[in-house]
Amino acid sequence: MNQLPCVMHQIGEVQALLERVEAFQAEARAALESAPPGPGALRGLLERGARLGVEVESGRLERQLAQAAWLEEVTATLRSPRARVPLPVMRGLIQAGRTVAPSPAVDVAMAELQELLTIAQRWEEKAQMCLEARSGCGLRPRWDSGDPL
């Protein structure tokens, strides 16, 4: 910039902004190339980029943020082995997972969700067959008899 054929009175400010943008760009690239950062770190980078008025790496950061947020949601939903996750919630997670950027972590989470959904659907089918078998013999479930439990 010092070699431009004109006089710039704000050259120091422009140079400082350029250095901040370059530092931000390097930090954003490092975050994207390292182990997957958490949603908080990615949100912070996106906010810093917006404050600087640049869109350097913002597309990749946004995709990575959506991926990290989805993975965090899946982990939180499936964290407890005794947690009862309704089938619609599981289907919603799978549907949302199809919209995030692919990665090995997303593939593993999707496979786990699909496996759990398949198992749950099998149990649902078995329960339905048992109920149908009961009703075919003239037996009704106890909760359906009108008698108080």
Side-chain angles (χ1 to χ4, degrees):
M1 279 202 210
N2 292 328
Q3 297 174 4
L4 291 174
C6 61
V7 175
M8 290 183 62
H9 299 289
Q10 295 89 4
I11 190 105
E13 295 170 21
V14 172
Q15 188 66 36
L17 176 61
L18 179 62
E19 288 170 6
R20 286 195 311 269
V21 168
E22 287 174 344
F24 166 77
Q25 183 177 18
E27 187 178 345
R29 284 190 178 139
L32 290 169
E33 292 169 3
S34 67
L42 292 168
R43 274 190 206 95
L45 284 169
L46 281 168
E47 289 169 6
R48 280 186 45 216
R51 281 194 305 270
L52 286 171
V54 295
E55 295 187 13
V56 176
E57 304 291 345
S58 64
R60 285 181 61 199
L61 286 170
E62 287 171 355
R63 286 190 298 276
Q64 198 72 7
L65 174 59
Q67 183 187 85
W70 180 80
L71 286 168
E72 191 173 80
E73 183 180 1
V74 169
T75 301
T77 302
L78 301 178
R79 181 174 294 146
S80 172
R82 294 185 179 199
R84 293 183 180 169
V85 181
L87 291 180
V89 170
M90 209 173 301
R91 286 184 185 109
L93 287 171
I94 291 171
Q95 188 64 31
R98 291 184 181 125
T99 65
V100 300
S103 76
V106 169
D107 294 343
V108 168
M110 286 290 283
E112 183 178 350
L113 284 170
Q114 192 61 53
E115 180 181 1
L116 290 171
L117 181 63
T118 301
I119 291 168
Q121 287 173 332
R122 285 186 192 139
W123 277 106
E124 193 175 62
E125 290 169 6
K126 288 178 183 181
Q128 184 63 37
M129 288 188 311
C130 288
L131 289 173
E132 288 172 3
R134 274 186 158 180
S135 63
C137 299
L139 296 174
R140 293 190 317 222
R142 184 173 179 184
W143 62 85
D144 193 32
S145 66
D147 295 335
L149 295 176

